[in-house]
């Protein structure tokens, strides 16, 4: 009960933290400089904040929808297809409060005040409770962790221990087995016939907590028994969450993270320790990073690529109470208590971008930060010796640079996948006249480009698809022609809003016209020399292409 009340007292004081967010962010930067200068802080950017109406305490996602265990609002469903403008599309209510949510298939398993609520999310716009497993009563203990494997749900039900439930029919959950906890069962992960059950401590007092992990044989739900165990240290307070990945288990406590070697599950061994710990955490797909919800301490990102030396690489200060996180490629969804749902973007996890190409000549660009930018590494199906940049004339190249555009030739049409670190902002130097340019890691509208000196000639962004085509946007991995009135710089930024309305440069109805070889030619209208710049085509492609 002491543990539960500690969380409630923290929640009662959360609103005060909203006023301190800027101050906290500045403080974290100072601490990074003073104490972690050997490990450069990585970039984490807040894209959006959505106040959910309850208190965001758990979070998970499927496709473009985010599911928030929203305390008094139970389960709140958010359309996050546009991470800059998420919107609430629905809410699913049930008795008690929504505390944690995990998605398995078409169902969201929400831990509430009295049990597990299984929500059908096959259609997020019509989500509803399919079934429930209730074992507690008002004022009693509540479940914390959940795992689902092969039609069975495994629930760590705090003081009530481990439950195994048949959820092959989610509308009718059936208890298959139960195992009494040594102490509060905080989290559970199932691997084959073993359940890794994390206890709050080893049965001692709260002031003398020792993290305790039990390895259970669950092959027979009616005869669950321990085959191994591990005991932590009272220097790191009680246990909260557990991750098991291949040969390692990660135990997160209030004040510390333990990395365990579980090659022999009957005898887990500590191989690495990191503090200050946290409440909930998740792991990146490649297994190299842990994203830790550190309550009032924001989100911590820890590199565990070397299990013996966990190293913090970044901190993100949230508005309120960082209770849960869900990383997705270069995004992280954060359940932040009264701060609601936060969506942040980081630059330290690789993403993949598919780039289509046509037979013969193509305009290409480099949309990600990569280790090797040689064109034959990035585009292995390209023809050797056909990469060209432009600087008043075509220049043969071997390596691509972000922001530059290039001609590149292929024998056949196809697609190339490039892996790397996202580029969210890029400043490009333009020369007077025509320039070959490329964009960032997402599509950017030309009208959203920052052009403080007004050097872009309107209507002169051209792509290439067997012929020059006017364009209103720069797609990731594609090259484009762009004309400038004079030398200067422009900046492309992820998620930037349009700064100017697109202009219509069509001369239909404004000038006389003739059709020659299927093309409209206009004449008989007066234009200034500056205006005429908007109507010229880019330089001819290299030999063998057709414009």
């Amino acid at each position: 009960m002491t543990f539960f009340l500690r969380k409630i007292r923290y929640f009662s004081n959360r609103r005060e933290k909203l006023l301190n967010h800027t101050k906290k962010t500045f403080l974290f930067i100072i601490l990074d400089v003073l104490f972690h200068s050997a490990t450069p802080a990585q970039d984490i950017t807040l894209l959006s904040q959505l106040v959910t109406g309850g208190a965001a305490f758990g979070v998970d996602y499927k496709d473009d929808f985010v599911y928030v265990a929203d305390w008094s609002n139970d389960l709140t469903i958010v359309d996050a297809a546009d991470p800059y403008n998420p919107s609430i599309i629905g809410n699913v209510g049930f008795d008690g409060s929504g505390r944690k949510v995990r998605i398995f298939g078409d169902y969201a398993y929400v831990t509430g005040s009295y049990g597990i609520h299984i929500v059908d999310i096959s259609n997020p716009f019509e989500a509803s409770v399919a079934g429930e497993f209730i074992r507690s009563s008002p004022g009693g203990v509540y479940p914390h962790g959940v795992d689902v494997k092969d039609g069975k749900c495994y629930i760590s039900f705090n003081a009530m221990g481990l439950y195994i439930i048949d959820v092959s029919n989610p509308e009718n959950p059936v208890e298959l087995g139960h195992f009494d906890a040594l102490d509060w069962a905080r989290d559970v992960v199932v691997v084959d016939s073993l359940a890794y059950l994390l206890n709050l401590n080893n049965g001692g007092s709260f002031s003398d907590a020792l993290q305790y992990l039990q390895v259970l044989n669950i092959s027979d739900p009616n005869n669950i028994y321990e085959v191994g165990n591990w005991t932590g240290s009272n220097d790191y307070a009680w246990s909260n969450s557990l991750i098991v990945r291949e040969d390692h288990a990660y135990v997160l406590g209030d004040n510390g993270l333990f990395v365990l070697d579980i090659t022999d599950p009957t005898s887990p061994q500590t191989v690495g320790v990191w503090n200050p710990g946290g409440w909930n955490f998740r792991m990146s797909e490649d297994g190299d990073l842990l994203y830790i919800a550190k309550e009032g301490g924001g989100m911590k990102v820890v590199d565990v690529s070397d299990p013996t030396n966990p190293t913090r690489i970044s901190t993100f200060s949230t508005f309120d109470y960082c209770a849960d996180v869900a990383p997705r490629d270069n995004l992280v969804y954060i359940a932040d208590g009264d701060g609601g749902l936060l969506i942040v973007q980081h630059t330290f996890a690789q993403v993949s971008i598919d780039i289509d190409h046509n037979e013969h000549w193509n305009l290409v660009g480099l949309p990600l930060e990569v280790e090797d930018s040689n064109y034959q590494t990035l585009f292995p199906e390209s023809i050797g010796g056909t990469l060209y940049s432009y600087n008043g004339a075509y220049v043969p190249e071997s390596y691509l640079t972000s922001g530059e555009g290039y001609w590149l030739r292929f024998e056949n049409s196809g697609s190339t996948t490039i892996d790397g670190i996202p580029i969210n902002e890029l400043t490009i130097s333009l020369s007077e006249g025509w320039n070959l340019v490329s964009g960032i890691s997402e599509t950017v509208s030309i009208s959203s480009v920052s052009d403080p000196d007004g050097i872009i000639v309107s209507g002169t962004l051209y792509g290439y698809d067997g012929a020059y085509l006017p364009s209103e946007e720069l797609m990731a991995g594609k090259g484009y022609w762009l004309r400038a009135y004079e030398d200067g710089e422009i900046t492309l930024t992820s998620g930037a809003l349009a700064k100017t309305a697109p202009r219509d440069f069509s001369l239909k109805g404004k000038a006389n016209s003739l059709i020659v070889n299927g093309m409209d030619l206009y004449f008989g209208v007066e234009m200034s020399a500056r205006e005429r710049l908007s109507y010229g085509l880019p330089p001819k492609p290299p030999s063998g292409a057709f414009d």
Side-chain angles (χ1 to χ4, degrees):
M1 186 60 68
T2 303
F3 177 78
F4 179 73
L5 291 176
R6 182 176 69 88
K7 300 299 179 187
I8 296 300
R9 282 197 296 270
Y10 201 115
F11 258 67
S12 68
N13 294 321
R14 291 172 305 170
R15 289 180 176 83
E16 183 178 346
K17 295 188 182 68
L18 292 171
L19 302 176
N20 297 326
H21 181 250
T22 302
K23 187 184 298 182
K24 285 170 60 182
T25 302
F26 182 64
L27 176 60
F28 278 126
I29 293 172
I30 293 176
L31 292 176
D32 277 341
V33 173
L34 290 178
F35 300 110
H36 296 279
S37 57
T39 303
Q42 304 294 322
D43 181 30
I44 302 179
T45 304
L46 177 66
L47 302 185
S48 59
Q49 177 187 16
L50 179 66
V51 176
T52 53
F57 203 59
V59 64
D60 206 351
Y61 70 90
K62 182 181 181 183
D63 300 326
D64 289 329
F65 298 93
V66 178
Y67 299 84
V68 179
D70 206 14
W71 206 260
S72 58
N73 271 3
D74 303 321
L75 182 67
T76 296
I77 304 173
V78 176
D79 183 344
D82 179 358
Y84 296 91
N85 296 287
S87 59
I88 295 173
I89 64 167
N91 177 268
V92 179
F94 41 76
D95 289 339
S97 56
R99 298 169 184 255
K100 192 172 181 178
V101 57
R102 291 294 181 261
I103 308 297
F104 299 95
D106 286 334
Y107 295 92
Y109 289 75
V110 187
T111 62
S113 302
Y114 318 128
I116 290 284
H117 309 277
I118 306 173
V119 179
D120 184 344
I121 58 169
S122 54
N123 181 350
F125 293 92
E126 298 180 359
S128 61
V129 174
E132 297 177 310
F133 181 78
I134 307 299
R135 280 296 180 272
S136 187
S137 58
V141 298
Y142 61 93
H144 183 261
V146 59
D147 196 7
V148 176
K149 298 284 173 61
D150 300 325
K152 297 183 180 67
C153 177
Y154 302 84
I155 307 169
S156 55
F157 217 118
N158 280 326
M160 299 179 70
L162 172 69
Y163 283 92
I164 302 179
I165 312 301
D166 183 346
V167 291
S168 56
N169 178 5
E171 297 181 4
N172 183 34
V174 176
E175 180 178 335
L176 297 178
H178 174 255
F179 182 81
D180 285 328
L182 177 67
D183 196 87
W184 280 26
R186 299 296 292 150
D187 209 354
V188 61
V189 177
V190 173
V191 180
D192 298 326
S193 63
L194 297 179
Y196 293 81
L197 182 66
L198 182 63
N199 290 269
L200 186 69
N201 60 43
N202 65 343
S205 67
F206 282 98
S207 61
D208 189 29
L210 288 168
Q211 304 84 5
Y212 193 74
L213 177 69
Q214 292 176 286
V215 185
L216 307 175
N217 185 308
I218 55 169
S219 54
D220 179 0
N222 290 310
N223 183 30
I224 302 171
Y225 58 92
E226 180 179 302
V227 297
N229 62 68
W230 166 88
T231 302
S233 164
N234 59 16
D235 291 335
Y236 295 97
W238 42 77
S239 304
N240 289 326
S241 296
L242 173 69
I243 291 174
V244 176
R245 178 73 70 91
E246 296 179 348
D247 292 335
H248 292 93
Y250 304 83
V251 174
L252 184 67
D254 260 28
N255 295 324
L257 167 73
F258 289 91
V259 183
L260 312 181
D261 184 334
I262 56 170
T263 305
D264 178 4
T266 66
S267 181
Q269 300 294 319
T270 302
V271 294
V273 180
W274 175 85
N275 62 69
W279 176 241
N280 280 313
F281 67 157
R282 304 288 277 279
M283 179 174 275
S284 61
E285 284 298 320
D286 61 11
D288 287 343
L289 299 177
L290 291 177
Y291 300 81
I292 297 176
K294 181 52 182 170
E295 303 162 307
M299 180 178 72
K300 312 289 185 183
V301 184
V302 177
D303 185 340
V304 290
S305 55
D306 178 0
T308 66
N309 185 34
T311 304
R312 181 179 64 82
I313 63 171
S314 192
T315 293
F316 179 76
S317 178
T318 64
F319 292 93
D320 187 42
Y321 182 96
C322 186
D324 198 11
V325 292
R328 175 184 188 177
D329 297 326
N330 67 323
L331 298 179
V332 184
Y333 305 114
I334 300 175
D336 192 40
D338 279 347
L341 172 66
L342 310 182
I343 303 180
V344 301
Q345 186 176 55
H346 59 75
T347 60
F348 44 84
Q350 290 199 348
V351 299
S352 299
I353 293 180
D354 295 328
I355 303 171
D356 294 330
H357 57 77
N358 296 323
E359 183 182 3
H360 301 313
W361 288 102
N362 294 259
L363 283 177
V364 300
L366 179 59
L368 299 168
E369 294 180 14
V370 297
E371 292 185 3
D372 184 357
S373 64
N374 183 282
Y375 76 99
Q376 291 182 310
T377 300
L378 297 173
F379 300 96
E381 296 179 357
S382 63
I383 299 173
T386 64
L387 183 73
Y388 291 95
S389 64
Y390 183 79
N391 186 20
Y394 290 120
V395 180
E397 303 282 3
S398 296
Y399 295 88
L400 281 75
T401 300
S402 297
E404 301 286 334
Y406 301 88
W407 286 106
L408 185 60
R409 192 168 185 175
F410 295 82
E411 288 282 4
N412 301 294
S413 60
S415 179
T416 297
T417 299
I418 296 179
D419 300 320
I421 304 293
I423 300 171
N424 301 316
E425 184 173 292
L426 187 64
T427 297
I428 301 174
S429 296
L430 299 182
S431 300
E432 180 181 352
W434 287 102
N435 298 262
L436 269 180
V437 301
S438 62
I440 56 176
S441 302
E442 65 177 49
T443 298
V444 175
S445 169
I446 188 64
S447 59
S448 71
V449 172
S450 175
D451 179 19
D453 298 320
I455 65 172
I456 294 177
V457 179
S458 297
T460 63
L461 183 69
Y462 285 89
Y464 183 80
D465 188 11
Y468 285 136
L469 300 173
S471 179
E472 292 293 333
E473 57 188 20
L474 293 88
M475 297 177 62
K478 297 293 186 180
Y480 296 87
W481 284 104
L482 184 62
R483 198 170 195 176
Y485 289 116
E486 59 187 47
D487 295 354
E489 293 183 339
I490 60 174
T491 300
L492 283 62
T493 303
S494 175
L497 300 177
K499 300 178 184 299
T500 59
R503 290 177 56 190
D504 180 8
F505 288 90
S506 172
L507 292 176
K508 286 186 176 180
K510 303 176 185 177
N512 300 318
S513 65
L514 291 174
I515 298 177
V516 178
N517 294 330
M519 297 182 63
D520 292 324
L521 300 179
Y522 296 94
F523 63 95
V525 62
E526 292 292 330
M527 287 186 183
S528 66
R530 186 179 179 90
E531 289 175 324
R532 282 199 294 270
L533 293 178
S534 295
Y535 295 95
L537 285 176
K540 292 183 178 181
S543 175
F546 300 93
D547 62 347

